[in-house]
């Protein structure tokens, strides 16, 4: 198949995958607010969400999105597919607004698109050379990185459990993104092992680590959605941290190498600043929207009549007694 035909398949598949992930995030965020708040990493949250049609819609959307992502990566180069997939941030903002009966906020959409553009640029510039993913990885050699990532996750969860500040949502999102990135990085190893034989992954600890970290990351994502009132900030952080951690794992564990030329590093730093700035824009705008909605609700509550006329049946009963 020629390149043009492949892109005709890959590009729409990547866009549909991004839309699916955006829909899944918005639906799951809405569903988590329909159930009782649970402690972080409590499996009871998933049990309660299984009875929510909106959450099941998000689960189906996730599966469909993964299918389109696989199709896109099968027909198109990563340099084309990855930037399209990160537009899921914008799709999540649109779907969340429509589900809540509001119009998508232009500034949040702008922040989402800037985040996707900055992240795409960073990934294109920081794309490492292919390393070896066959067989097993040197877990001991990657121990410093593993410890650093574990400290970040535990620290974020502890911070989120200790404060009531809105920043706790970003902390949970950061921990979720780290776990998603680790899972994605280790999945590269598993796919390499599968080329050696279908039973090869079962001979190494990587598969069993993924089976533990993957579900924890998914559960933590639901805690993140439940803790936040808007989906865009959380999705922006998760989407940004996930591939960055994947790059770190590729370099630290899989033997991949980065281009560290001054021009390349300058471009990566600039792209990272765009991502950070766009997330700050989304968070600031989100807080302003929430304050505006709270002010409207408070104003409406104060305009309710303080005097309620007597019920008609009560007046009839009174007339009978007095007559």
């Amino acid at each position: 198949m020629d390149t043009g035909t492949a892109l005709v398949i890959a590009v729409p598949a990547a866009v549909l995958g991004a839309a699916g992930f955006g829909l899944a995030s918005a639906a799951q965020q809405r569903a988590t607010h329909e159930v009782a708040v649970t402690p972080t990493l409590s499996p009871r949250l998933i049990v309660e969400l299984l009875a929510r049609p909106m959450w099941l819609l998000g689960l189906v959307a996730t599966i469909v999105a993964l299918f389109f992502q696989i199709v896109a990566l099968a027909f198109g180069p990563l340099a084309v597919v990855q930037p399209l997939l990160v537009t899921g941030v914008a799709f999540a903002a649109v779907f969340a607004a429509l589900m809540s009966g509001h119009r998508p906020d232009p500034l949040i959409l702008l922040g989402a698109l800037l985040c996707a553009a900055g992240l795409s640029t960073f990934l294109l510039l920081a794309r490492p050379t292919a390393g070896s993913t066959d067989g097993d990885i040197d877990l001991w050699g990657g121990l410093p990185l593993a410890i650093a990532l574990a400290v970040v996750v535990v620290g974020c969860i502890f911070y989120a459990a200790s404060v009531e500040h809105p920043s706790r949502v970003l902390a949970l999102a950061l921990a979720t993104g780290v776990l998603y990135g680790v899972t994605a990085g280790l999945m590269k190893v598993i796919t390499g092992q599968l080329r050696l034989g279908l039973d090869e992954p079962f001979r190494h600890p990587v598969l069993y680590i993924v089976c533990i970290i993957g579900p924890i990351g998914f559960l933590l994502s639901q805690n993140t959605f439940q803790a936040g009132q808007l989906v865009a900030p959380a999705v922006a952080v998760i989407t940004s941290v996930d591939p960055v951690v994947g790059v770190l794992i590729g370099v630290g564990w899989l033997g991949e190498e980065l281009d560290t030329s001054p021009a390349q590093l300058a471009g990566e730093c600039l792209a990272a600043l765009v991502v950070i700035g766009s997330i700050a824009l989304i968070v600031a705008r989100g807080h302003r929207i929430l304050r505006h909605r709270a002010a409207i609700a408070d104003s409406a509550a104060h305009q309710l009549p303080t005097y309620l006329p007597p019920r008609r049946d009560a007046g009839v009963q009174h007339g009978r007694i007095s007559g």
Side-chain angles (χ1 to χ4, degrees):
M1 183 180 297
D2 60 275
T3 304
T5 303
L7 290 178
V8 168
I9 298 175
V11 171
V15 173
L16 289 173
F21 283 125
L23 175 60
S25 299
Q28 290 171 352
Q29 193 263 354
R30 187 171 183 84
T32 56
H33 287 264
E34 298 175 352
V35 299
V37 177
T38 61
T40 303
L41 295 179
S42 171
R44 182 163 59 90
L45 177 59
I46 299 297
V47 174
E48 296 184 3
L49 288 173
L50 285 171
R52 297 290 172 175
M54 185 63 70
W55 190 81
L56 294 177
L57 170 64
L59 187 61
V60 172
T62 300
I63 296 173
V64 174
L66 286 172
F67 168 77
F68 281 115
Q69 180 181 2
I70 293 173
V71 172
L73 290 173
F75 286 91
L78 186 63
V80 173
V81 173
Q82 187 68 43
L84 293 174
L85 289 175
V86 298
T87 58
V89 182
F91 281 109
V94 172
F95 282 121
L98 295 177
M99 288 179 182
S100 61
H102 300 91
R103 291 185 300 176
D105 184 78
L107 284 180
I108 286 186
L109 283 180
L110 175 62
L113 292 175
L114 286 175
C115 180
L119 182 59
S120 301
T121 302
F122 177 86
L123 292 175
L124 291 175
L125 293 176
R127 185 174 55 184
T129 59
S132 175
T133 57
D134 294 335
D136 204 2
I137 62 176
D138 183 12
L139 293 177
W140 291 109
L143 188 59
L145 176 60
I147 293 175
L149 294 177
V151 168
V152 171
V153 172
V154 174
C156 288
I157 294 175
F158 178 79
Y159 175 81
S162 304
V163 303
E164 294 298 330
H165 192 269
S167 60
R168 66 186 300 268
V169 179
L170 301 181
L172 290 173
L174 175 58
T176 301
V178 170
L179 292 178
Y180 277 6
V182 172
T183 301
L186 296 181
M187 284 301 296
K188 291 183 181 179
V189 180
I190 294 176
T191 55
Q193 294 170 349
L194 285 172
R195 287 194 289 268
L196 302 178
L198 295 179
D199 62 336
E200 187 66 21
F202 297 95
R203 304 174 184 272
H204 304 276
V206 177
L207 175 63
Y208 306 102
I209 295 174
V210 169
C211 290
I212 296 174
I213 295 179
I216 292 176
F218 179 75
L219 177 55
L220 192 58
S221 71
Q222 306 308 299
N223 291 131
T224 304
F225 293 147
Q226 188 175 58
Q229 297 185 48
L230 295 175
V231 71
V235 174
V237 173
I238 294 172
T239 305
S240 301
V241 174
D242 178 353
V244 173
V245 172
V247 171
L248 293 176
I249 289 178
V251 174
W253 290 355
L254 306 182
E256 298 175 346
E257 296 181 356
L258 294 176
D259 183 355
T260 57
S261 63
Q264 202 85 351
L265 291 177
E268 293 167 10
C269 291
L270 181 60
L273 289 176
V274 171
V275 173
I276 295 172
S278 62
I279 293 175
L281 172 63
I282 293 172
V283 172
R285 182 59 177 173
H287 288 167
R288 184 172 182 178
I289 290 174
L290 293 177
R291 286 196 300 267
H292 179 66
R293 292 178 184 175
I296 293 176
D298 185 64
S299 176
H302 282 84
Q303 292 176 5
L304 291 176
T306 57
Y307 169 75
L308 296 177
R311 292 173 53 187
R312 181 175 298 178
D313 57 346
V316 172
Q317 188 178 14
H318 177 71
R320 290 176 180 173
I321 294 174
S322 60

